[in-house]
Amino acid sequence: MLVDLFSKKVFNLAYQFSGSYQEAQDLTQDIFVKLFHALPRYESGRNFSAWLTTLAKNHLIDEYRRTKWEKKNRDDFDDHLLTTASETGDPEKNLMQNETQRILWAGLNRLSPEIRLAVILKEIQGKSYEETAGITGVPEGTVKSRVNRGRLQLARILQNEKENADGM
Amino acid sequence: MECNRIEELLPAYLDRELDAAESAQVEAHLRTCRACASLSALLAEADAALAAFPDVEPGNELKKRLAAIAERKPRFSLLAVLRRPQLQPALAAASLLGIVASLYLLNPNRREFDKTIVRAFHRGVGKVETLYSRAGSVTDTIGAYAENFYASLRMITPPDRDKKL
């Protein structure tokens, strides 16, 4: 039941954060092991989804610090994401958006783990600042600052990549 | 405004979170600065692309592994029991009691310690007795005073009134 309801959500968070499909599978498994151990401590009445996301976030950050993923490369965007990317009716627009997403996907690795997580939760997963603050355990103002810094960093990365492509 | 300040404001500007005056300043700057206008367009493009990031299916193999975790019989974990919030006050009291008991039981001069406790106990009992006897004498004194006062009152009171009393 829990697996059916939450495996996709946890897996996508792990995948977006780590950038590696294989790593995300292992991380999801670890998070579910922790979840089943932590279930007796879950206080009924609390938002379960937010509680689980906080548990997942803690594991991702701990593992990041332990293994230093920033030295590794992320999977290519085309490997798993391109096949499921949403498509509009305009093929040229789709192509442009896919290219932008490919650059941003790689660019996520250049953000610090805290900023990356804030951007993933707020901008990719569409959570509110309040929800993101609850999950990350920092004040809403800090979340806003992290998300905005991350957005600007990604826009700069996009700019550099496009300038490099034009220069070729 | 300078470009650095505009760059800081751009995310809030695109989210329509600036007040009217700041928003007008940013708009005016973007009309005249190509670099900031370009960055603003890229930021909007990045925002739209991030929001449209696709979700990926975890894969059946992983789902099977996760289902197997859920089906495992929960092992009894003493640590999990001890970490229950309801038990915390009792555990804190037990720990304190344990510390006091170990200080007593592991004390190398335990006999001397016992004697000190017995001496202190007897001293305490002695003090209580003294206080009790003093309290008794105070009661006696108050009783004597009350008796004298009553006798004096009877002497002052006229005889007919005394009869009524």
Side-chain angles (χ1 to χ4, degrees), chain A residues 3 7-8 11-12 15-16 21 25-26 28-29 32-33 36-37 41 77 80-81 84-86 97 100-101 104-105 119 123-124 129 144 148 151-152 154-156 158-159 162, chain B residues 7-8 10-12 14-15 17 35 38-39 42-43 45-59 61-63 65-67 69-70 72 75 80 83-85:
Chain A
V3 172
S7 59
K8 189 174 177 181
F11 175 76
N12 275 281
Y15 188 34
Q16 286 153 3
Y21 194 86
Q25 286 193 322
D26 295 343
T28 305
Q29 190 173 341
F32 269 82
V33 169
F36 287 113
H37 277 112
R41 278 182 282 137
F77 181 75
H80 297 280
L81 289 150
T84 48
S86 59
Q97 177 150 301
T100 304
Q101 285 178 329
L104 295 176
W105 175 253
V119 168
E123 298 299 315
I124 300 180
Y129 284 118
K144 216 173 244 192
N148 289 345
R151 286 162 73 190
L152 280 169
L154 289 173
R156 288 276 184 216
L158 201 54
Q159 190 175 37
K162 287 194 172 192
Chain B
E7 187 178 316
E8 279 174 22
L10 273 180
L14 291 176
D15 293 343
E17 286 181 351
S38 162
L39 184 64
L42 285 166
L43 190 58
E45 186 183 335
D47 286 349
L50 288 171
F53 248 80
D55 272 347
V56 176
E57 282 299 325
E61 184 55 38
L62 175 64
K63 281 185 181 172
R65 275 153 62 187
L66 298 181
I69 299 168
R72 264 184 229 158
R75 282 180 303 166
R83 284 167 76 178
R84 284 186 185 163

Side-chain angles (χ1 to χ4, degrees), chain A residues 65-81:
Chain A
R65 290 192 178 130
R66 207 171 60 79
T67 58
K68 296 288 177 198
W69 288 335
E70 78 274 19
K71 288 174 187 161
K72 297 180 188 173
N73 288 324
R74 295 171 77 86
D75 288 351
D76 284 338
F77 181 75
D78 309 5
D79 290 350
H80 297 280
L81 289 150

